[in-house]
């Protein structure tokens, strides 16, 4: 219970951090993230969920959780492939930045929490985190990455990803709800 | 010698075309089966509710970047293979069914056959 609360708090801190970052950007009226940095943040956010899924595939024995993790790995990989194809076409090289670094630092903490769990405790922690993580990534994509994208194709790609993130969120909530009923 | 054959052929083609245009099959038993299109885009089946006649074909086309499928709701009647981006799958409709995507169970649709 304490661990999953901590993970949710991490996700919220990330979300708040992004809002603060976003509002600072807006206050300056001057884009702080280049398209190369937006691309890096987008790829990083997707890779993190693939990493979480890999831990689930290793640790979970719940068929529903395993199928969800497989979908996360496949879908986020498909998004990365689209993003990589687009940046190559645009001649942009994804550039590491404060947002990508924050995402990676928070993900490391979450991975440690996940690795410390097993059985039903793991399943609950993983799914709770998937709910929180997708909520924070949806907010970051909508409120930060889309507004920060200068290139229309990059913006369109990010917009196209939102419905998939929302479907993942609803799917995770559905599993969360079913687990709480058992 | 050849002209009558050609004329017969033309007559046949014309007859066939007329039957097609008026919507009758060669047997004359009923209307020609139609093909309906369901687009999968932005994590939704479009249209999510479709009314068809028995024997009509429904083509599902995945326009998203992620893989979907089309699974009959009970999971016991029929199921498409995984449909990667830009791929499609078709099914002849015999009975009404509700369906969902097994990868994204929040995606749902229905086919009414009548
Ligand atoms: Cu799907």
């Amino acid at each position: 219970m304490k661990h999953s609360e901590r993970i949710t708090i991490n996700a919220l801190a990330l979300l708040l951090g992004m809002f603060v970052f976003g509002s600072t950007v807006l206050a300056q009226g001057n884009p702080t993230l280049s398209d190369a940095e937006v691309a890096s943040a987008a790829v990083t956010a997707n890779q993190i969920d693939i990493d979480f899924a890999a831990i689930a595939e290793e640790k979970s024995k719940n068929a529903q959780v395993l199928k969800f993790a497989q979908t996360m790995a496949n879908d986020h990989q498909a998004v990365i492939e689209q993003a990589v194809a687009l940046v190559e076409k645009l001649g942009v090289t994804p550039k590491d930045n404060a947002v990508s670094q924050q995402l990676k630092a928070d993900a490391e903490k979450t991975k440690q929490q996940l690795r410390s769990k097993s059985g039903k405790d793991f399943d609950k922690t993983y799914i709770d985190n998937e709910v929180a993580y997708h909520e924070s990534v949806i907010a970051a994509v909508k409120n930060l990455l889309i507004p920060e994208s200068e290139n229309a194709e990059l913006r369109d790609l990010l917009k196209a990803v939102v419905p998939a993130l929302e479907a993942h969120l609803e799917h995770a909530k559905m599993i969360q709800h079913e687990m709480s009923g058992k | 010698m050849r002209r009558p054959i050609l004329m017969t052929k033309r007559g046949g083609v014309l007859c066939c075309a007329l039957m097609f245009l008026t919507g009758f099959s060669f047997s004359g038993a009923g209307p020609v089966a139609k093909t309906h299109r369901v687009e999968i885009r932005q994590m939704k089946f479009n249209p999510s509710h479709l009314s068809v006649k028995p024997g009509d074909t429904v083509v599902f086309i995945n326009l998203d970047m992620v893989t979907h499928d089309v699974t009959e709701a009970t999971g016991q009647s029929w199921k498409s293979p995984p449909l990667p981006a830009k791929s499609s799958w078709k099914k002849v409709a015999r009975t009404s069914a509700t369906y969902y995507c097994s990868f994204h169970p929040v995606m749902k649709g229905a086919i009414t056959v009548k």
Side-chain angles (χ1 to χ4, degrees):
Chain A
M1 198 60 194
K2 266 185 184 170
H3 283 305
S4 65
E5 269 171 19
R6 218 175 290 157
I7 287 178
T8 309
I9 290 163
N10 283 344
L12 283 174
L14 166 69
L15 176 61
L16 284 173
M18 286 197 147
F19 271 134
V20 171
F21 197 83
S23 60
T24 310
V25 165
L26 292 175
Q28 288 170 349
N30 203 353
T32 299
L33 290 183
S34 66
D35 282 359
E37 289 170 328
V38 168
S40 160
V43 169
T44 302
N46 281 285
Q47 185 57 51
I48 286 168
D49 207 45
I50 295 173
D51 296 347
F52 293 159
I55 298 174
E57 278 163 17
E58 207 178 284
K59 302 202 78 161
S60 183
K61 288 177 180 68
N62 178 312
Q64 198 180 23
V65 170
L66 288 168
K67 173 120 186 167
F68 174 85
Q70 188 62 59
T71 296
M72 292 308 107
N74 290 342
D75 287 7
H76 289 286
Q77 188 59 43
V79 173
I80 289 176
E81 280 163 21
Q82 291 284 317
V84 168
L86 178 60
V87 294
E88 276 174 10
K89 184 187 147 193
L90 298 175
V92 169
T93 307
K95 187 169 177 283
D96 197 22
N97 61 87
V99 176
S100 300
Q101 284 162 11
Q102 184 69 55
L103 284 165
K104 280 185 248 179
D106 284 321
E108 277 315 310
K109 288 179 204 151
T110 305
K111 285 182 208 170
Q112 277 177 25
Q113 305 281 4
L114 289 171
R115 288 198 187 101
S116 74
K117 306 276 182 169
S118 61
K120 282 184 182 176
D121 203 17
F122 172 84
D123 293 336
K124 186 184 177 333
T125 308
Y126 172 67
I127 292 298
D128 286 351
N129 181 63
E130 284 299 292
V131 171
Y133 186 70
H134 279 86
E135 277 171 350
S136 64
V137 170
I138 290 166
V141 170
K142 280 184 175 173
N143 303 325
L144 179 65
L145 300 185
I146 291 173
E148 287 288 302
S149 303
E150 282 172 66
N151 181 279
E153 283 181 87
L154 179 59
R155 206 159 48 230
D156 287 348
L157 174 63
L158 291 168
K159 283 181 186 170
V161 172
V162 173
L165 295 173
E166 287 172 341
H168 293 170
L169 173 61
E170 289 315 306
H171 188 181
K173 281 182 176 173
M174 194 179 92
I175 299 173
Q176 191 180 45
H177 183 75
E178 283 173 25
M179 279 178 167
S180 71
K182 276 173 193 167
Chain B
M1 284 298 264
R2 293 178 70 185
R3 267 184 104 169
I5 298 168
L6 269 174
M7 285 184 71
T8 309
K9 273 190 183 167
R10 275 188 197 150
V13 169
L14 184 63
C15 175
C16 170
L18 275 172
M19 282 173 130
F20 182 75
L21 287 171
T22 53
F24 285 92
S25 64
F26 285 101
S27 68
V32 167
K34 277 190 189 165
T35 297
H36 307 263
R37 183 182 164 102
V38 175
E39 290 184 356
I40 310 174
R41 56 182 147 85
Q42 299 194 325
M43 311 301 281
K44 286 189 170 75
F45 294 103
N46 279 291
S48 59
H49 286 76
L50 188 66
S51 269
V52 306
K53 301 275 184 222
D56 281 3
T57 297
V58 183
V59 184
F60 295 86
I61 303 154
N62 181 10
L63 301 176
D64 275 341
M65 64 182 96
V66 301
T67 298
H68 296 293
D69 72 10
V70 191
T71 305
E72 188 272 327
T74 65
Q76 284 163 4
S77 182
W78 49 265
K79 180 179 177 136
S80 77
L83 303 174
K86 312 285 176 287
S87 69
S88 68
W89 177 73
K90 61 185 169 186
K91 159 161 188 62
V92 176
R94 301 281 176 209
T95 52
S96 295
T98 55
Y99 61 83
Y100 68 104
C101 168
S102 75
F103 299 112
H104 311 103
V106 295
M107 297 172 58
K108 290 171 182 161
I111 300 169
T112 305
V113 180
K114 59 184 178 188

